[in-house]
Amino acid sequence: MKNLFDLRGERILITGAGGAIGGATARVCASLGAELIITDLKAPEALAEELGNSTRAAGLDNASRRDVDALFADVGPLDALVDCSGYYVKGDWVDGGDEWDALLARTLDINIKGPTNLVRACLPGMIARGSGRIVLTGSMSARNAGSTLAVEPAYVASKGGLHALVRYFARQVADKGIVVNGVSPGPILTPLLVSANQPFATDSYPMKRLGEPAEIGWPIAFLCSRGTSFMTGAVVDVNGGMAFS
Ligand SMILES: NC(=O)c1ccc[n+]([C@@H]2O[C@H](COP(=O)([O-])OP(=O)(O)OC[C@H]3O[C@@H](n4cnc5c(N)ncnc54)[C@H](O)[C@@H]3O)[C@@H](O)[C@H]2O)c1
């Protein structure tokens, strides 16, 4: 029987690959044999060099529809798209005034418009080939309203919207050989979390610890694989048992 988790021969584009979870995902997918195109605001050249296997690095602002369309016109056929980019900055939605309004707009630009730009750009090629897997990154904070991380509402709303978009995109292309799924990570030790600058009561967590980036990367690699042929519209909880959908 063919091993459908094997990623050899699969071309996967991973955005946010300069970040912790995106970088870990790239390493996992490369270890399974995938050929990667890795992007971030600044091209992750060092990671591309580390991974070898014809990995290509590119700079890309996912929030720019024009830049996303230009890159996708250039990269050639893709078997899978993974978006690990994300934006989380604390703000004061009660007294923050214009500053918070700008933070909301920036958060939605990166966490909602970015994935929409990416999905829109990769679909024509996948539809033409009758095959593709798309993986988007949500958050446990959309499930538990940030009971572990003191998140603020722009982030919670953006990730709740992202979970809804996973289901929306999945429905749109369910009869075209394309599956769209997401992961919903709990607190993972990454720069994004460290920037929150808050203590975590890990003793009260079921596994008594935070997650590691690769512990999101492995589930994402599964979602990139052909083993997901009858799985679409799922947002998979990966949170050490902290919250269930
Ligand atoms: N770390 C956690 O605890 C946690 C929990 C739940 C969800 N997430 C989500 O996981 C994903 C990865 O987060 P991470 O923890 O690895 O953070 P990270 O900060 O290490 O990585 C995020 C990456 O996104 C990139 N990025 C930001 N804006 C971009 C844009 N406009 N275009 C392209 N790239 C852009 C950044 O440059 C960065 O490299 C995010 O979507 C985040 O919301 C993280």
Side-chain angles (χ1 to χ4, degrees), residues 25-234:
T25 299
R27 289 185 177 92
V28 170
C29 290
S31 79
L32 294 168
E35 181 194 334
L36 301 180
I37 299 111
I38 54 175
T39 73
D40 206 300
L41 288 171
K42 188 167 168 290
E45 302 283 2
L47 180 60
E49 202 166 309
E50 173 194 322
L51 298 178
N53 192 27
S54 327
T55 304
R56 171 178 164 187
L60 180 66
D61 178 352
N62 297 348
S64 162
R65 180 174 183 167
R66 200 190 47 196
D67 292 0
V68 169
D69 288 349
L71 182 82
F72 278 74
D74 182 49
V75 290
L78 292 176
D79 298 295
L81 162 74
V82 180
D83 181 18
C84 289
S85 70
Y87 184 73
Y88 166 62
V89 170
K90 268 189 190 164
D92 182 349
W93 66 281
V94 178
D95 297 318
D98 291 349
E99 209 173 299
W100 189 79
D101 290 359
L103 184 147
L104 173 66
R106 183 79 185 130
T107 305
L108 295 178
D109 257 8
I110 296 173
N111 294 355
I112 293 291
K113 204 210 278 179
T116 305
N117 286 340
L118 295 165
V119 171
R120 189 200 289 114
C122 81
L123 281 183
M126 289 183 175
I127 290 171
R129 294 163 62 236
S131 166
R133 277 94 53 204
I134 296 173
V135 188
L136 304 179
T137 308
S139 172
M140 185 181 81
S141 65
R143 305 233 195 266
N144 72 353
S147 64
T148 46
L149 177 64
V151 286
E152 59 89 68
Y155 185 76
V156 170
S158 71
K159 292 300 184 177
L162 194 281
H163 291 190
L165 279 178
V166 166
R167 298 189 175 103
Y168 178 81
F169 295 139
R171 277 274 168 82
Q172 295 296 307
V173 293
D175 62 350
K176 300 195 170 14
I178 302 165
V179 298
V180 185
N181 293 294
V183 284
S184 174
I188 310 299
L189 199 50
T190 75
L192 185 137
L193 197 75
V194 170
S195 72
N197 192 25
Q198 68 165 64
F200 287 93
T202 45
D203 278 356
S204 67
Y205 297 174
M207 290 192 183
K208 315 285 182 207
R209 66 177 178 87
L210 301 175
E212 297 288 335
E215 293 179 305
I216 305 301
W218 286 99
I220 290 178
F222 159 65
L223 294 175
C224 286
S225 79
R226 291 177 190 264
T228 56
S229 50
F230 196 57
M231 177 179 181
T232 197

